[in-house]
Amino acid sequence: MFTGRWAATQVLAQGQLLDANAVDFALLALYFVFVLGIGYLARRAVSTSLDFFLSGRALPAWVTGLAFISANLGAIEIIGMSANGAEYGMPTMHYFWIGAVPAMLFLGVVMMPFYYGSKVRSVPEFMLRRFGRAAHLVNGISFAVAQVLIAGVNLYLLASIVNALLGWPLWLSVLLAAAIVLSYTALGGLSAAIYNEVLQFFVIVAALLPLTIIGLVKVGGVQGLVEKVSAGPGGAEQLSAWPGNQLTGFDNSVLSVVGLVFGLGFVLSFGYWTTNFVEVQRAMASKSMSAAQRTPIIGAFPKMFIPFIVIIPGMIAAVLIPELAAFKQAGGSGGGGVDYNDAILLLMRDLLPNGILGVALAGLLASFMAGMAANLSSFNTVFTYDIWQSYVVRDRADGYYLSMGRWVTVGATLAAVGTAFIAAGYSNLMDYLQQLFSFFNAPLFATFILGMFWKRMTPHAGWAGLVLGTVSAVVVFGLSETGVLDLPGQGASFVGAGVAFVVDIVVSVVVSLVTRPKPAAELVGLVYGLTPRASLQASTSGEDAGWYRRPGLLAGIALVLIIALNIIFG
């Protein structure tokens, strides 16, 4: 499997090299000047570890809101979702409308007051205060491992662009791509990552919007796309978001809907968006609780419309690009050495003129760099604060941990070079990513949500639920891989996430009933029923005044829009 994926990208690079010219390379060079310049300028503002890891908690909501969505607009969105669009069609919209926006709104309205109000520096630190050192260590280690694995995905895809652009060997492209991201992340810390993510958001949109428009024109407009998709593999089912049987792997439509709503929409989605420090870190860098709450809510508005410039191009590529159409027609086994992950690159190769190609390439590079930088900046925070400072070297001067954070960033980058080779083994990277989320995010969400609303949950239950929940998801994966369970598509990750959630809850309840809980006085600010409502209310005066800055109202507007989109395209 690994050899086949490397060979596929080599075919794209050597046989069908992207035809970039001097104008395209000049645009790319200009983009990198801005990226590295932002890293250098951000470095001048870093004097403490809080500056490096959390931007001194001084950023406005619009900056953190765009960074929040841009941090997620990496390999998962661009390559993974376009690959999913090419393979499954419109049901992929669920990753946004069911599998993202509702959880982002919940994070902003319900959970950010606890995160921001408690002044913790990371999600594992919240676990430390709620459940104690054992749960803190388990969460810190599992999060660090997950970020290195996911950073490898972004790094691999970033290297694939360099490979397709220049024809360099993939191992050299991987090292070059790693050096670029490392340079500005190690220099300026979170501030450099966030301000680059804001820049990258606009570059990504500028890259994908023209590709979508030109692709629709080439395919004969919306009606032409409908006709061609209906006549191809999967048929008309790929033009409707519901019930999404091909995506979930279930033949029964009722089971498919349950899998999407519970497995993706609740467990995977809420597990990712509400407990993943990669995202939460952006909100915690805000200057006030109101800004922290608005961060994911602001991000929800562009999030709900991004599918139109990511998934639609994937669908276009599957009917317009001959070799990808052949690959799909053959059931994912033909096509002359390409696969679904190549959808965007192939579309760029065939449709974009020079100049626009340079912008599109910059957009792709921006997306992968944003994703990898987000992984690195969250990894260095958790490893330095929650593992190194807590368990290895304690009570040193702040400057020591600032320096350690930079070295940890270097180490994480080198580790990501290794994990990039794991990502190379998947023809659809969303299969890999969703599997990782079922391992790490689903059980963590169960622990969080139970511990936040049930004061009786004990420290022993915190770590036991996490460990056994993760193990159960790994068992489901193993049974699926060996053929014991027939779960094609991304059904294994949906089922694994659901099982992990249920196992975590059951184990946590049972263990809590036979062990001693923390005193109620120690849970104020950590458990909903024990926390004064006033401390959970954001300010409505000064910089936070105005109806358009009220988190609840903004979340309500976003919820209405997402329901409308599900009805229109359902």
Side-chain angles (χ1 to χ4, degrees):
M1 177 165 30
F2 287 85
T3 304
R5 183 66 194 108
W6 283 114
T9 309
Q10 290 285 28
V11 168
L12 180 63
Q14 295 173 3
Q16 303 157 358
L17 196 65
L18 292 174
D19 187 22
N21 66 11
V23 174
D24 300 313
F25 284 112
L27 289 169
L28 285 173
L30 181 62
Y31 169 70
F32 283 119
V33 168
F34 274 101
V35 166
L36 296 175
I38 288 173
Y40 176 74
L41 291 174
R43 187 183 191 281
R44 297 169 63 184
V46 174
S47 58
T48 68
S49 63
L50 187 66
D51 293 333
F52 186 78
F53 295 119
L54 287 177
S55 299
R57 286 199 173 101
L59 300 180
W62 74 268
V63 170
T64 54
L66 289 179
F68 185 93
I69 200 63
S70 184
N72 181 252
L73 199 57
I76 300 172
E77 305 291 282
I78 309 302
I79 296 296
M81 290 302 180
S82 63
N84 248 26
E87 185 173 2
Y88 304 115
M90 288 294 288
T92 306
M93 297 289 188
H94 290 310
Y95 283 102
F96 298 81
W97 299 341
I98 294 296
V101 172
M104 293 166 69
L105 303 180
F106 182 83
L107 170 64
V109 173
V110 177
M111 297 191 72
M112 278 316 302
F114 287 93
Y115 286 138
Y116 196 89
S118 63
K119 295 299 180 184
V120 294
R121 299 168 297 185
S122 67
V123 170
E125 188 172 328
F126 185 90
M127 292 288 286
L128 173 64
R129 296 190 185 183
R130 176 62 182 89
F131 297 112
R133 293 176 67 82
H136 174 241
L137 183 59
V138 169
N139 181 215
I141 292 173
S142 66
F143 177 84
V145 171
Q147 292 319 299
V148 169
L149 290 169
I150 297 172
V153 175
N154 286 291
L155 178 57
Y156 166 66
L157 291 171
L158 181 56
S160 297
I161 299 299
V162 177
N163 173 260
L165 184 62
L166 301 174
W168 292 355
L170 272 168
W171 66 267
L172 180 59
S173 302
V174 166
L175 294 178
L176 175 64
I180 293 170
V181 179
L182 174 63
S183 60
Y184 74 80
T185 307
L187 276 173
L190 183 61
S191 291
I194 284 180
Y195 281 114
N196 264 310
E197 284 159 5
V198 173
L199 168 66
Q200 287 157 352
F201 174 81
F202 292 107
V203 174
I204 291 165
V205 173
L208 296 179
L209 186 58
L211 186 65
T212 306
I213 294 171
I214 295 171
L216 281 173
V217 171
K218 289 285 186 181
V219 84
V222 174
Q223 188 57 40
L225 180 61
V226 168
E227 292 171 359
K228 288 178 172 61
V229 171
S230 298
E237 184 180 337
Q238 297 205 344
L239 295 169
S240 177
W242 297 98
N245 294 27
Q246 294 177 22
L247 180 67
T248 61
F250 294 117
D251 294 326
N252 185 291
S253 295
V254 174
L255 289 178
S256 180
V257 171
V258 171
L260 285 169
V261 173
F262 181 70
L264 174 63
F266 180 61
V267 179
L268 280 172
S269 171
F270 277 66
Y272 176 82
W273 290 101
T274 64
T275 64
N276 185 1
F277 186 56
V278 172
E279 306 299 333
V280 173
Q281 186 182 29
R282 272 85 194 133
M284 290 172 66
S286 301
K287 62 170 59 176
S288 67
M289 182 184 291
S290 175
Q293 287 189 272
R294 281 182 275 129
T295 291
I297 298 171
I298 289 171
F301 287 94
K303 181 71 174 180
M304 67 180 71
F305 295 108
I306 284 172
F308 295 107
I309 59 173
V310 175
I311 296 171
I312 299 300
M315 296 174 66
I316 294 170
V319 299
L320 197 61
I321 307 300
E323 51 264 62
L324 191 60
F327 179 79
K328 186 173 182 178
Q329 190 69 45
S333 60
V338 302
D339 61 27
Y340 295 118
N341 292 327
D342 297 317
I344 285 288
L345 272 177
L346 291 168
L347 206 60
M348 288 168 50
R349 181 201 68 186
D350 287 2
L351 299 188
L352 295 184
N354 294 113
I356 296 179
L357 177 61
V359 174
L361 287 170
L364 280 183
L365 291 171
S367 70
F368 306 149
M369 285 168 40
M372 185 179 174
N375 297 133
L376 292 181
S377 60
S378 57
F379 175 91
N380 63 28
T381 303
V382 168
F383 187 90
T384 304
Y385 279 151
D386 296 291
I387 297 176
W388 194 261
Q389 185 181 35
S390 298
Y391 300 99
V392 182
V393 179
R394 304 180 188 177
D395 303 322
R396 295 289 293 271
D398 185 74
Y400 170 82
Y401 297 111
L402 172 59
S403 177
M404 186 65 195
R406 290 198 167 102
W407 282 110
V408 166
T409 306
V410 175
T413 304
L414 294 175
V417 170
T419 61
F421 290 84
I422 299 176
Y426 287 78
S427 63
N428 185 340
L429 285 168
M430 279 305 297
D431 295 345
Y432 175 54
L433 290 162
Q434 291 302 318
Q435 203 64 66
L436 291 180
F437 295 153
S438 73
F439 294 165
F440 299 111
N441 294 97
L444 180 58
F445 174 62
T447 297
F448 252 85
I449 206 70
L450 189 62
M452 186 172 286
F453 291 97
W454 188 38
K455 65 181 181 180
R456 180 68 178 77
M457 187 173 176
T458 67
H460 288 293
W463 69 263
L466 274 179
V467 171
L468 293 179
T470 299
V471 169
S472 66
V474 174
V475 169
V476 171
F477 171 71
L479 293 175
S480 176
E481 286 292 294
T482 55
V484 176
L485 293 176
D486 182 21
L487 295 170
Q490 284 152 29
S493 59
F494 295 162
V495 172
V499 169
F501 182 87
V502 172
V503 168
D504 190 304
I505 292 290
V506 171
V507 169
S508 297
V509 170
V510 171
V511 173
S512 291
L513 294 177
V514 297
T515 54
R516 180 177 299 178
K518 278 187 168 185
E522 295 181 16
L523 299 177
V524 176
L526 303 172
V527 176
Y528 194 82
L530 298 176
T531 303
R533 295 295 298 273
S535 65
L536 301 177
Q537 298 295 320
S539 170
T540 57
S541 60
E543 292 185 349
D544 298 319
W547 65 268
Y548 53 90
R549 291 194 178 103
R550 294 181 182 175
L553 178 60
L554 291 174
I557 294 171
L559 188 60
V560 170
L561 287 174
I562 211 66
I563 292 172
L565 287 170
N566 270 285
I567 293 172
I568 294 169
F569 294 96

